[in-house]
Amino acid sequence: MKILFLDQSGKLGGAELCLADIAQQFHATSLVGVFAEGSFPEYLRKRNIPVKILTQQTLQVQKNSGFLAGLKSLNRLIPLITTVAQLSKQYDLLYANTQKALVVGALASLLSRRPLVYHLHDIVSPDHFSTVNRRIIITLANRAALVIANSQASREAFIQAGGHGDKVHVIYNGFNLENYLHCANQREHLQAELVSILPQLEDRTPPFIVGHFSRLSPWKGQDVLIEALQYCPHNVTALLVGDALFGEQAYGQQLHQQIKSLNLEHRVKFLGFRSDIPQLMTACDLVTHTSTAPEPFGRVIVEAMLCGTPVVAAAAGGAVELIDHGQTGWLTPPGDAKKLADIINTCQQQASQSKAIAQKAQQRAIQSFNLAATNLQISQLLSRISNCEINNIRNPS
Ligand code: UDP
Ligand code: GLC
């Protein structure tokens, strides 16, 4: 099957990591068209996945943009739509992975008469999108032959916003299990390595390392973890992994100020963007997910489970589908720093129970989020779409 994948982002976020794993299986016949140069196309090249940068123009529209910004950008999108329409004639289908890719892909698919698939990685709600952008997403996605939603939560929000439920299939992100299980076997070594880069406590107490692995963005709620540190013993240390990917540097500054005003400089370490997530997660005592708006899926939650590291997540969106509270991890109300601190403290005090929960979570994640299985589901759905389209061309009604 020949697929033209489309993604607007030059940066490597969760939706891009997910797409790379899907595109890998079609690499011999397919192409990933990206709307900007950057770490994402570089990542694809390293994995020998064909990639093409489709425009040199910066597309400015944000998730909360209004009507006028949308109109202005449409002007800039026209040459890109024409390019994609031409290119897509060499492929069986168009696969849009992000919101702007959906706009370009939907209009190009009309021109080239190729079926459109939309991978929905977002919760289409006022928490995340302006009214105009929600309308655009729903109108265009309703024209697609298939919508793949990354969780039930994303599917439900899509339907509530006016999306056609009959074309939405929920397929969770899949993960290459070996990357994580291999690290889980080297836990002690990885922990010692991580402890060696942290400042030593005066009384030589070993640190209890709480990891946070997300881009720096207000809705990812790193500030909630920092606030929670105040209610935790002095050896609890936060490790913040991730960078501001989408122009949210001001939030990074805000976090530094918060840390200073709470006198927590010696208890928080920023590592920036890292490519060794499984190693770092394995070395943590606990992984926290603190999104203050519903998380569409939450790759970091599953990754922590696969590493066998206990995980606590904010109870909203896809996160509640991933964790069974008290069985395979913990859920706390979004934005509630005190409840988060309670879980951090319980996890530190009851190490053997936490370990048992993490082991159960690891087994659950191995069963439910295996990349080989999710890729098979996706390729079966895509074959159905492209066969159906070929039949329509041969036997027009
Ligand atoms: N990630 C990474 N390096 C970092 C921080 C995060 O590779 O420094 C990865 C992380 O392991 C996860 C992805 O980025 O796979 C983020 O996906 P998630 O679904 O958690 O959130 P998103 O940022 O896509 O909303
Ligand atoms: C998006 C969502 C995130 C999800 C990822 C992969 O980036 O914000 O929750 O895990 O896509 O589907």
Side-chain angles (χ1 to χ4, degrees):
M1 203 178 340
K2 294 161 80 180
I3 306 168
L4 177 57
F5 294 98
L6 297 174
D7 192 296
Q8 71 202 45
S9 176
K11 310 267 175 70
L12 198 51
E16 287 69 38
L17 286 161
C18 174
L19 180 64
D21 281 338
I22 296 166
Q24 181 101 58
Q25 66 170 328
F26 301 105
H27 76 277
T29 50
S30 300
L31 177 72
V32 183
V34 184
F35 303 171
E37 190 48 89
S39 53
F40 175 45
E42 271 165 31
Y43 181 85
L44 294 170
R45 287 181 198 112
K46 270 193 203 134
R47 299 177 90 185
N48 291 324
I49 300 170
V51 56
K52 187 170 177 160
I53 310 299
L54 297 174
T55 175
Q56 301 307 325
Q57 296 241 30
T58 324
L59 307 174
Q60 294 290 6
V61 196
Q62 304 294 325
K63 283 182 172 180
N64 48 9
S65 294
F67 184 67
L68 276 179
L71 264 190
K72 270 192 202 155
S73 79
L74 192 60
N75 228 354
R76 293 208 186 148
L77 287 182
I78 290 169
L80 178 57
I81 293 165
T82 318
T83 308
V84 172
Q86 274 301 327
L87 191 60
S88 63
K89 289 185 183 152
Q90 301 163 36
Y91 295 89
D92 301 319
L93 58 89
L94 279 154
Y95 188 114
N97 198 52
T98 54
Q99 188 208 348
K100 280 174 228 162
L102 171 66
V103 174
V104 173
L107 298 175
S109 88
L110 273 178
L111 296 171
S112 66
R113 307 188 65 203
R114 292 294 181 275
L116 173 74
V117 172
Y118 177 43
H119 199 145
L120 173 66
H121 292 280
D122 292 298
I123 291 195
V124 190
S125 72
D127 283 319
H128 292 279
F129 292 96
S130 66
T131 312
V132 173
N133 281 349
R134 291 203 303 280
R135 284 215 188 107
I136 293 174
I137 295 174
I138 299 302
T139 309
L140 297 177
N142 279 343
R143 299 194 54 87
L146 164 72
V147 176
I148 297 173
N150 64 354
S151 66
Q152 290 294 348
S154 295
R155 176 180 190 270
E156 278 156 26
F158 176 76
I159 294 171
Q160 200 162 6
H164 296 164
D166 53 347
K167 51 179 74 168
V168 191
H169 290 252
V170 173
I171 301 185
Y172 290 135
N173 280 213
F175 296 80
N176 195 333
L177 303 184
E178 271 168 36
N179 293 348
Y180 303 88
L181 302 183
H182 171 72
C183 291
N185 290 332
Q186 303 173 35
R187 189 177 310 277
E188 278 178 22
H189 164 70
L190 293 168
Q191 272 175 340
E193 222 172 52
L194 182 57
V195 169
S196 73
I197 64 157
L198 297 176
Q200 268 211 358
L201 295 172
E202 271 173 26
D203 62 1
R204 307 234 156 204
T205 329
F208 184 81
I209 307 172
V210 179
H212 195 292
F213 298 78
S214 283
R215 55 198 156 93
L216 303 182
S217 172
W219 76 274
K220 290 292 187 179
Q222 281 87 349
D223 58 299
V224 182
L225 171 59
I226 293 167
E227 195 187 333
L229 282 186
Q230 297 174 92
Y231 313 114
C232 298
H234 76 290
N235 70 327
V236 174
T237 303
L239 191 74
L240 300 186
V241 183
D243 209 348
L245 291 189
F246 304 112
E248 289 143 326
Q249 281 78 4
Y251 181 63
Q253 304 288 341
Q254 193 184 310
L255 292 178
H256 283 284
Q257 270 161 16
Q258 184 193 11
I259 292 164
K260 204 168 161 202
S261 68
L262 296 173
N263 273 328
L264 291 169
E265 284 103 330
H266 55 298
R267 290 174 60 189
V268 184
K269 188 153 178 87
F270 287 84
L271 292 190
F273 187 88
R274 297 282 294 236
S275 309
D276 52 350
I277 298 298
Q279 287 80 350
L280 290 167
M281 275 189 179
T282 305
C284 288
D285 295 296
L286 173 70
V287 167
T288 50
H289 164 272
T290 55
S291 294
T292 54
E295 181 73 55
F297 175 73
R299 290 175 61 88
V300 290
I301 300 167
V302 176
E303 290 176 292
M305 291 166 82
L306 287 171
C307 290
T309 302
V311 58
V312 51
V320 298
E321 297 164 45
L322 308 179
I323 292 181
D324 195 357
H325 179 72
Q327 298 292 315
T328 55
W330 297 273
L331 294 167
T332 53
D336 192 332
K338 282 212 166 129
K339 291 261 165 57
L340 176 62
D342 287 346
I343 298 294
I344 296 174
N345 296 339
T346 309
C347 192
Q348 177 163 215
Q349 284 153 14
Q350 301 176 4
S352 59
Q353 283 98 321
S354 304
K355 198 172 165 198
I357 285 180
Q359 279 171 352
K360 199 164 167 191
Q362 191 181 40
Q363 289 314 313
R364 183 76 57 82
I366 291 170
Q367 283 159 18
S368 309
F369 306 104
N370 184 347
L371 181 62
T374 54
N375 268 352
L376 183 65
Q377 275 178 285
I378 291 180
S379 75
Q380 283 170 345
L381 278 175
L382 297 185
S383 319
R384 253 195 265 160
I385 302 289
S386 70
N387 288 341
C388 186
E389 208 60 28
I390 289 165
N391 286 339
N392 284 346
I393 293 165
R394 285 193 189 135
N395 313 304
S397 51

